[in-house]
Amino acid sequence: MKKWFFPLFICILLWHSTVAQEQKTAPLVERPLNALTFDLLSPMYHSWGPSNLSRWRLGYRHQLNKRWAIGADFGYGNNSIAIVMEGDDYALYELRPELHYLLQLGQRTRVYFSAQPFYLIHTETLINRSVFIQEIGQVSFDSVTYQRNKYGLTLNYGFIFPMARSMGLNVYIGGGLRRRENSYRSFSNPTLDPYYDEVHSPPYYDSDFPLTEFEFSFGVKVYFFTNNKTDS
């Protein structure tokens, strides 16, 4: 899915440039950044692991003053509500607070920098696989309960384009660091594999060795403004 992020980002910027040219003669109106948000990409998230890690992500943003706004996104996913195929007993919980610094005042398009810490818990049952356990080695099993905790921080650059009086489109891009920690419990029929590679490079799901990596950030959200009062 990530291979489509940059082309999509460029297309949205070109679309907004065209709309801005057409609206130059319209009266300049700025509304507070108070809005409910819905992430358009998270329900279709595709991963190369056993699960796609899709989730439904909703949020709220509140403008404190001319320069600062705060908010948070809450994400949840499981097998019953997923629109793409997920693994056995898949569940995901996510929290993403965010602090915005607004750069462009008195314009229809709101431009901002933001800092967004995040915390995510992902659980599922892995079937007929093997994992690398520190101080034990490679373990094969019939099933195991898997949990992944991920947390970190990204710095983002974004735009909020007006689409209607009560609606806007938010596009952002950025990056930061993440820490990923895997754990396993309730092994069914575990067997130690003596032929594992001692120079083990752990895949995404398959090791309990903690990893700190770069986190790429990209998203497209719809903003539903909750305050229709405007300031000229």
Side-chain angles (χ1 to χ4, degrees), residues 14-97:
L14 291 175
W15 167 80
H16 177 262
S17 176
T18 302
V19 172
Q21 292 296 322
E22 295 175 352
Q23 295 181 345
K24 278 186 176 180
T25 59
L28 178 61
V29 174
E30 181 180 314
R31 64 168 43 85
L33 190 63
N34 301 332
L36 299 171
T37 68
F38 173 69
D39 193 299
L40 295 176
L41 300 183
S42 63
M44 300 174 289
Y45 190 91
H46 176 71
S47 168
W48 296 110
S51 288
N52 286 306
L53 308 181
S54 65
R55 78 292 307 255
W56 296 90
R57 188 187 291 160
L58 304 175
Y60 181 71
R61 297 295 181 275
H62 179 76
Q63 187 166 341
L64 301 174
N65 53 44
K66 286 188 174 182
R67 286 292 186 186
W68 295 97
I70 59 173
D73 293 316
F74 304 91
Y76 176 68
N78 65 29
N79 301 78
S80 299
I81 62 176
I83 61 176
V84 295
M85 184 174 294
E86 299 292 357
D88 294 281
D89 304 317
Y90 168 78
L92 186 146
Y93 305 85
E94 180 181 35
L95 173 63
R96 292 179 176 265

Side-chain angles (χ1 to χ4, degrees), residues 184-195:
Y184 313 92
R185 58 185 174 83
S186 302
F187 282 92
S188 173
N189 193 26
T191 303
L192 183 63
D193 183 356
Y195 301 106

